[in-house]
């Protein structure tokens, strides 16, 4: 795996040479390439579907399509983007279980043949609008240790999954397999075990009733690097392999081990990005336990949505000032009281930091630009520049 300093060093060189307007996100495509290769090397037999929502920069999608990735898409917009960037329609999987019938129709008309569901209504829409397609059924897991959990929004019980997949076959669809997602930024490699166990039970029940599922979709969840320590990729690979052997082993002998499908998002792009921001204002507001308020030109609404609840705590570097560090409250530039980045978590930044000084928010390639609002308070969405040291390309407008 590429050492992340390599990618960040290339990005810093790019920022120094081109001085793009602040704020901006810069993605190092070599790191994206490396992350994809690391996953493909770890799971050579698996289908790797990049979760486009993590970072939909066309350069990222195009690079991954050329590298052989498939794509987990959530909307007609993501279908169109992937196809425009050269992905084959059959490599797309419509993983969002909340979708309009018209959106299913559109995806089907563009050649998408794999959909995920978790409800009867959605399944019937798929049968009507995408006849003959393959269907995964998403099961609900308890939130376990992910820094950005799904809070019960998606998935059904294993019993419902058995019924839905049986019904899928009756409706002329292909029952593809069980899917689940352990929550994003999952720090516990054993968190996949419960989902794999449930999936094995559903798969065995269906096999006994004559419906053979040939795949298992274990979703996303692999982490990026923030302030917390994260286990290395090999720990996730080992824990997941051990779970599959334990839960699918005996069944595998009769029905064949299911093809593994992964939907990595954050792991592929998170560490590939650096978000450059600039200090707008430093203010002393008295009672805030002596901490300075440092206002940046990026906040909750133009790139740092994942700082909500201080769930994701980015590492922050100060390339312009290196005075003695002092505690700060970090906030964004809008007039919204929610636009505070870190208050509970105490960050320390140089005491000589002032307006115009740059800060580097590290490993910020995932769920930053894609979450940015179209213009809350008139602040434009966060622009993305993708750099590729192989082709020496970089500066461009917003995604
Ligand atoms: C269905 C689905 N698959 C994959 C992902 C990607 O997850 P991650 O970025 O944690 O890898 C998500 C993220 O929300 C998702 O909703």
């Amino acid at each position: 795996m590429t050492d992340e300093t390599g990618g960040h060093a290339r990005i810093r060189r790019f920022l120094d040479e081109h001085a793009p307007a602040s704020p901006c996100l810069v993605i190092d495509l070599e790191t994206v390439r490396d992350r994809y290769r690391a996953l493909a090397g770890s799971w050579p037999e698996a289908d790797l579907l990049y979760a486009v929502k993590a970072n939909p920069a066309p350069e990222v999608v195009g690079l991954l399509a050329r590298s052989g990735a498939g794509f987990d898409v959530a909307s007609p917009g993501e279908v169109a983007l992937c196809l425009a960037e050269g992905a084959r329609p059959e490599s797309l999987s419509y993983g969002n279980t909340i979708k309009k019938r018209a959106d299913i129709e559109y995806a089907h008309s563009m050649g998408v043949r794999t959909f995920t569901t978790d409800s009867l209504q959605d399944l019937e829409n798929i049968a009507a609008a995408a006849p003959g397609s393959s269907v995964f059924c998403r099961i609900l897991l308890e939130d376990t240790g992910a820094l950005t959990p799904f809070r019960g929004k998606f998935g059904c019980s294993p019993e419902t999954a058995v019924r839905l997949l049986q019904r899928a076959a009756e409706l002329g669809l292909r029952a593809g397999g069980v899917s689940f997602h352990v929550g994003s930024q999952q720090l516990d490699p054993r968190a996949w075990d419960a989902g794999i166990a449930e999936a094995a039970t559903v798969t065995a029940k269906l096999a006994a009733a004559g419906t053979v599922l040939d795949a298992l979709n274990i979703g996303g969840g692999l982490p990026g690097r923030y302030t917390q320590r994260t286990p290395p990729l090999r720990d996730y690979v080992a824990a997941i392999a051990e779970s599959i052997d334990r839960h699918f082993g005996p069944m595998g002998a009769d029905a064949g081990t299911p093809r593994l499908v992964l939907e990595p998002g954050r792991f592929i792009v998170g560490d590939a990005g650096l978000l450059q921001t600039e200090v707008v204002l430093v203010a002393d507001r008295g009672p805030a336990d002596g901490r300075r308020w440092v206002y940046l030109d990026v906040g909750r609404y133009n790139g740092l949505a994942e700082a909500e609840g201080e769930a994701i705590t980015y590492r922050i570097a100060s390339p312009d000032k290196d005075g003695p560090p002092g505690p700060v409250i970090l906030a964004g530039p809008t007039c919204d009281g929610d636009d505070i980045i870190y208050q509970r978590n105490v960050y320390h930044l140089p005491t000589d930091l002032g307006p115009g000084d740059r800060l580097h928010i590290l490993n910020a390639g995932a769920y930053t630009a894609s979450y940015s609002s179209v213009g809350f308070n008139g602040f434009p969405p966060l622009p993305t520049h993708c750099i590729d040291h192989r082709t020496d390309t970089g500066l461009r407008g917003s995604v």
Side-chain angles (χ1 to χ4, degrees), residues 1 4 35 145 147 184-189 221-236 266-267 271 312-313 315 363:
M1 201 181 301
E4 61 163 9
R35 287 305 168 95
L147 292 190
S184 202
Q185 188 64 7
Q186 177 55 257
L187 299 180
D188 180 1
L222 297 173
R225 177 154 184 228
Y226 306 114
T227 56
Q228 300 85 2
R229 285 182 67 81
T230 51
L233 177 62
R234 64 174 176 278
D235 289 8
Y236 290 86
R266 191 184 301 277
F267 180 83
D271 296 347
I312 295 293
T313 48
R315 295 182 305 137
N363 307 72

Side-chain angles (χ1 to χ4, degrees), residues 73-93:
V73 294
S75 65
E78 288 190 349
V79 171
L81 166 68
C82 292
L83 297 181
E85 292 308 315
R88 290 171 299 109
E90 60 275 19
S91 75
L92 270 51
S93 170

Side-chain angles (χ1 to χ4, degrees), residues 48-305:
L48 299 178
L49 310 180
Y50 171 61
V52 178
K53 56 185 82 77
N55 189 314
E59 292 91 338
V60 170
V61 172
L63 165 68
L64 290 169
R66 289 190 297 281
S67 304
F71 297 89
D72 162 47
V73 294
S75 65
E78 288 190 349
V79 171
L81 166 68
C82 292
L83 297 181
E85 292 308 315
R88 290 171 299 109
E90 60 275 19
S91 75
L92 270 51
S93 170
Y94 205 121
N96 191 352
T97 60
I98 317 297
K99 48 196 173 298
K100 297 177 181 174
R101 186 191 283 217
D103 295 346
I104 301 169
E105 244 160 38
Y106 167 79
H108 186 254
S109 76
M110 301 305 281
V112 178
R113 294 292 180 267
T114 306
F115 296 83
T116 302
T117 194
D118 59 7
S119 68
L120 183 58
Q121 207 169 68
D122 182 59
L123 179 69
E124 288 175 347
N125 280 340
I126 296 170
S133 292
S134 178
V135 174
F136 281 82
C137 186
R138 181 165 171 172
I139 53 171
L140 173 66
L141 297 184
E142 273 180 30
D143 292 331
T144 51
L147 292 190
T148 66
F150 290 106
R151 302 194 173 90
K153 183 176 172 188
F154 307 102
C156 59
S157 68
E159 297 72 32
T160 304
V162 171
R163 281 199 299 277
L164 288 177
L165 286 165
Q166 251 162 355
R167 184 80 188 119
E170 290 161 13
L171 290 169
L173 296 164
R174 222 165 59 76
V178 175
S179 73
F180 63 87
H181 196 306
V182 293
S184 202
Q185 188 64 7
Q186 177 55 257
L187 299 180
D188 180 1
R190 291 160 309 168
W192 278 258
D193 188 63
I196 291 168
E198 300 278 26
T201 307
V202 171
T203 304
K205 279 188 182 156
L206 282 163
T211 303
V212 176
L213 305 180
D214 63 7
L216 166 66
N217 183 335
I218 62 170
L222 297 173
R225 177 154 184 228
Y226 306 114
T227 56
Q228 300 85 2
R229 285 182 67 81
T230 51
L233 177 62
R234 64 174 176 278
D235 289 8
Y236 290 86
V237 177
I240 289 168
E242 191 275 325
S243 287
I244 291 176
D245 278 358
R246 184 152 40 84
H247 298 297
F248 277 90
M251 192 210 72
D254 304 337
T257 308
R259 179 171 48 88
L260 197 60
V261 182
L262 283 85
E263 298 174 347
R266 191 184 301 277
F267 180 83
I268 288 186
V269 286
D271 296 347
L274 183 155
L275 199 166
Q276 177 163 279
T277 174
E278 186 177 296
V279 174
V280 177
L281 182 78
V282 179
D284 180 357
R285 302 215 179 278
D289 62 22
R291 282 193 271 166
R292 292 164 295 154
W293 283 77
V294 174
Y295 298 88
L296 307 179
D297 63 2
V298 74
R300 174 82 63 82
Y301 299 100
N302 61 342
L304 299 181

Side-chain angles (χ1 to χ4, degrees), residues 12-58:
R12 286 198 180 96
R13 257 196 321 273
F14 167 81
L15 288 167
D16 288 342
E17 279 169 20
H18 295 272
S22 178
C24 67
L25 173 68
V26 185
I27 296 287
D28 177 56
L29 292 175
E30 188 63 22
T31 305
V32 174
R33 245 183 226 113
D34 257 35
R35 287 305 168 95
Y36 178 74
R37 263 196 234 115
L39 291 184
S42 299
W43 282 288
E45 309 297 332
D47 288 350
L48 299 178
L49 310 180
Y50 171 61
V52 178
K53 56 185 82 77
N55 189 314

